[in-house]
Amino acid sequence: MKREFAVIGLGRFGGSICRELSEEGMDVLAIDADEDKIDEFKDIAAHAVIADTTDDKVLKELGIRNIEHVIVAIGDNIQASILTTIMLKELGIKTLTVKAQNDYHEKVLKKIGADYVVHPERDMGRRIAHSIISTNILDHLELSDDHSIVEVKAGKRMDGKTLVDLDIRAQYGCNIVAIKEADEKGINVSPMATQTIEADDILIVIGADKDISRFEKQLV
Ligand code: ADP
C-alpha cells in the first residue's frame, strides 16, 4: 500500500529523506518556504508546495492533517522548527519525526510531543568516531543515551574461542546477539554458547556503552 508522508524543509537532510521515500514509491508531500527548493523537488516528490509552515492558516490549507507521518527537517531556524512542531501536534498528526539542531532543541522537541527526535550530524559523528577509534568497529547504533549495538570484527584475540570460553556476558555485561560468519552469507541470530568464533567473524554486540567500551578495549 502506498503510504503518505510530508517532509517540511528540503535541505540536505530533509531533501535526502524526501528523495529516498519517493524512490521507494511513497506518496510524499514536499514543503519548503524557498521556491528554488520546490523547483528542485517538483519532479521528485508526488506533490511539492511552497509554504511557510510557521503560519497556522497556511499549514491548515495544506491538508496536512490527513497525513499519517510528518518529518520536520527545518535546519537552522530552531524557532520555526519548534513552532511548526507545536502546530502539527495540535492538528493531531499521528507520527512526528523532527530534526534537532542541538541538545537544547532536542529537549524542547521531546517536551512538546515530537515522537522521534533525530540528530543526524551528532549521531553520524559518533558512529564515525567509533569506527575511527578501532578499525574493527564496523558500525555503532545508539539505542538510548547509554546503550548501543555495535558491529565488530572479532579479531585475533577471540579467534578459535567459544562464547563460553570468552564468558562475555559475565565478564563484560554485554550480549552477542548475532554472529555473521566470514565465509558464509548468512547470519546466526541465536548463537550457541559452544560456537567457535573466528577472527573474521562479525559480532553484533548489545549492551551499556561503558560495558561495550571495556569489551572493545580488552577483546577487540
Ligand atoms: P540542512 O542542515 O538539513 O541542510 P537547511 O537548514 O539547509 O538544513 O535547510 C532547511 C530547509 O528548511 C531550507 O530549505 C529552508 O528553506 C526550509 N525552511 C526553513 N524555515 C521554513 C519554514 N518556516 N517553512 C518551510 N520551510 C522552511
Side-chain angles (χ1 to χ4, degrees):
M1 202 182 86
K2 213 170 189 180
R3 292 175 57 199
E4 282 189 328
F5 296 90
V7 179
I8 301 175
L10 303 167
R12 285 159 303 171
F13 181 67
S16 154
I17 291 192
C18 179
R19 255 176 234 280
E20 207 61 31
L21 288 173
S22 302
E23 273 170 27
E24 290 294 323
M26 304 296 148
D27 194 303
V28 183
L29 167 62
I31 303 165
D32 201 292
D34 180 353
E35 191 176 348
D36 291 343
K37 289 283 176 204
I38 295 305
D39 271 347
E40 188 185 333
F41 282 88
K42 68 177 188 305
D43 298 327
I44 296 167
H47 324 271
V49 182
I50 307 169
D52 178 349
T53 56
T54 57
D55 185 331
D56 194 16
K57 202 163 147 258
V58 170
L59 207 54
K60 279 183 185 144
E61 280 168 9
L62 287 171
I64 209 164
R65 71 164 76 230
N66 303 319
I67 294 177
E68 200 179 306
H69 192 153
V70 179
I71 298 103
V72 182
I74 293 174
D76 295 335
N77 192 343
I78 293 179
Q79 190 176 325
S81 155
I82 292 172
L83 204 53
T84 300
T85 305
I86 290 177
M87 290 194 297
L88 290 169
K89 196 76 201 165
E90 279 173 357
L91 285 174
I93 303 294
K94 204 163 146 211
T95 313
L96 270 178
T97 296
V98 189
K99 175 188 157 171
Q101 208 62 4
N102 54 47
D103 291 346
Y104 166 75
H105 188 193
E106 178 171 359
K107 217 172 185 167
V108 174
L109 292 172
K110 283 186 177 156
K111 200 105 197 153
I112 60 178
D115 300 286
Y116 302 101
V117 178
V118 290
H119 220 310
E121 289 94 350
R122 185 196 64 190
D123 294 348
M124 191 47 89
R126 283 187 184 168
R127 284 168 87 160
I128 291 174
H130 278 266
S131 52
I132 289 171
I133 292 168
S134 161
T135 46
N136 281 0
I137 304 285
L138 306 174
D139 207 350
H140 176 268
L141 179 72
E142 213 173 286
L143 295 177
S144 71
D145 285 348
D146 44 20
H147 285 79
S148 305
I149 294 184
V150 296
E151 202 177 72
V152 59
K153 198 159 152 204
K156 287 210 179 74
R157 273 186 261 184
M158 284 189 254
D159 191 32
K161 304 224 165 74
T162 63
L163 291 176
V164 172
D165 296 336
L166 295 166
D167 201 16
I168 292 167
R169 193 177 305 167
Q171 298 297 326
Y172 301 96
C174 29
N175 275 300
I176 297 197
V177 289
I179 299 176
K180 285 194 223 172
E181 286 168 28
D183 47 358
E184 286 182 29
K185 286 218 163 65
I187 176 163
N188 180 356
V189 290
S190 54
M192 304 279 280
T194 51
Q195 181 162 344
T196 306
I197 294 171
E198 289 177 24
D200 286 338
D201 286 350
I202 291 168
L203 313 177
I204 318 291
V205 187
I206 187 168
D209 291 338
K210 61 174 179 21
D211 294 333
I212 293 179
S213 168
R214 225 158 32 87
F215 166 78
E216 280 173 27
K217 285 194 189 112
Q218 293 175 21
L219 278 187
V220 179

